[in-house]
Amino acid sequence: MKKNANVFSKLFDEKHRGRTVSFLIVICVYVLIELLQAAGSLSSLFKSLLVPACCYIVAALGLNMNVGISGELNLGQAGFMSVGAFTGICVSGLLAETIPNTVIRLIIAIIAGAIIAAVMGWLIGVPVLKLQGDYLAIVTLAFGQIIKSLITNLYFGFDENGLHMSFVNNNVKLAPGGKMLINGPIGATGTPRIATFTIGVCLVLASLVIIYNLIYSKSGRAIMSCRDNRIAAESIGIKVADIKMLAFIVSASLAGAAGALYGMNYSTLAANKFDFNTSILILVYVVLGGLGNMTGTIISTAVLLVLPEMLRGLQDYRMLIYAMVLIVIMLVSNNEALKTRFGKLTEGFRKKKGAQ
């Protein structure tokens, strides 16, 4: 009994409380949604948002790792999602006959998308993270635009003779039975929709495990020390560029995994979906949820993704209300008086509970 009490107290102590709440929120919401689906109480519109919500939550968690924990501004998260999405689509298409099991194929596609996005993040980070200032924001912004242009002009397919690819002009000639995976400006078409809400929730939980384990590790403390005081971190022997690279690669890989899941949720997907506005939207989720606050990121992403659809019936006033909600959330989340009052209430509740 005492051992169970110690485990419970460790889960909800000041250090681990945020992590425990994050996991509990995800698991409880998943159970609730599954019960509602079983009862037939969910509309088709809400069902269509379940997988995208998981994708954006994972991408936002990754960006928060970069912006909130590492302190580096990344404006190319949509670019890494795009890399993961089209990598996942291509891998899934190539393995369709070899691996008929959709769950296994989806997992392989997600892993492939995460790996390729991580490699792209490493290639970008090697020259940029050695510099100080907002160079990363500029480079990642350019990266997102470059990736969108490259995929828009890419033609990629396969047949019995192997892989075929051309750029700008469609010079791909496929044998009978061949299939185009990426068709230039049209994007990926005819993609089997194998993404599921359960896999999406598992990806969110896996992302939380990766992020929290990194935050609570020696490397995580080094990342935050570099964010708070770069000179002091360098003075005790921390290699700032290398440690920031770790956070950036984790952020990019999570975006790639989210993109792969997103790509497997639609039969048609164009590169224009992952434009600069998508990167800014993910950044908005992170900022409103709180920099470094993973629980807040999960809640803000879910609420702000569902809210416009819930207001769709209001037609002309929908985006006006959405903008007003954003402003109110920003003002409340940055109000020091409210934060102090909430902290006092929480502290008083803990003291009262301890006295009992």
Side-chain angles (χ1 to χ4, degrees), residues 64 68 284-297 300 333 339:
N64 206 350
V284 168
Y285 296 154
V286 172
V287 172
L288 292 182
L291 296 180
N293 186 345
M294 301 305 162
T295 305
T297 297
S300 65
S333 63
K339 287 183 179 179

Side-chain angles (χ1 to χ4, degrees), residues 205-326:
L205 294 174
S207 302
L208 289 173
V209 170
I210 293 170
I211 290 173
Y212 278 118
N213 281 337
L214 179 58
I215 290 175
Y216 294 142
S217 68
K218 180 180 178 181
S219 297
R221 293 191 293 272
I223 290 171
M224 288 183 279
S225 68
C226 294
R227 174 199 64 191
D228 296 334
N229 195 320
R230 183 187 182 104
I231 297 175
E234 288 178 336
S235 68
I236 60 174
I238 296 176
K239 296 181 179 178
V240 175
D242 293 344
I243 209 69
K244 284 183 176 290
M245 175 70 78
L246 175 61
F248 187 59
I249 289 176
V250 170
S251 174
S253 64
L254 291 179
L261 181 67
Y262 190 91
M264 297 289 100
N265 190 53
Y266 297 97
S267 57
T268 301
L269 184 67
N272 290 332
K273 173 61 183 175
F274 304 101
D275 58 6
F276 173 66
N277 292 327
T278 304
S279 292
I280 295 299
L281 186 64
I282 298 172
L283 183 60
V284 168
Y285 296 154
V286 172
V287 172
L288 292 182
L291 296 180
N293 186 345
M294 301 305 162
T295 305
T297 297
I298 294 172
I299 296 173
S300 65
T301 303
V303 171
L304 295 179
L305 186 66
V306 174
L307 185 61
E309 302 302 329
M310 294 176 63
L311 299 174
R312 190 169 291 277
L314 298 177
Q315 298 297 332
D316 297 336
Y317 301 100
R318 178 171 65 96
M319 296 313 295
L320 175 62
I321 296 173
Y322 180 70
M324 292 174 63
V325 170
L326 289 179

Side-chain angles (χ1 to χ4, degrees), residues 8 29 34 45 55 85 145 152 167 179 183 185 223 238 240 258 270 277 289 295 305 316 327 335 338 350:
F8 183 82
V29 170
E34 286 297 312
L45 174 61
C55 298
Q145 297 301 109
T152 300
F167 196 69
K179 182 180 179 181
N183 199 9
I223 290 171
I238 296 176
V240 175
N277 292 327
T295 305
L305 186 66
D316 297 336
I327 294 172
N335 190 310
L338 289 177
R350 285 203 298 267

Side-chain angles (χ1 to χ4, degrees), residues 139-152:
V139 172
T140 50
L141 172 61
F143 167 75
Q145 297 301 109
I146 291 170
I147 288 296
K148 187 181 74 169
S149 298
L150 288 175
I151 296 176
T152 300

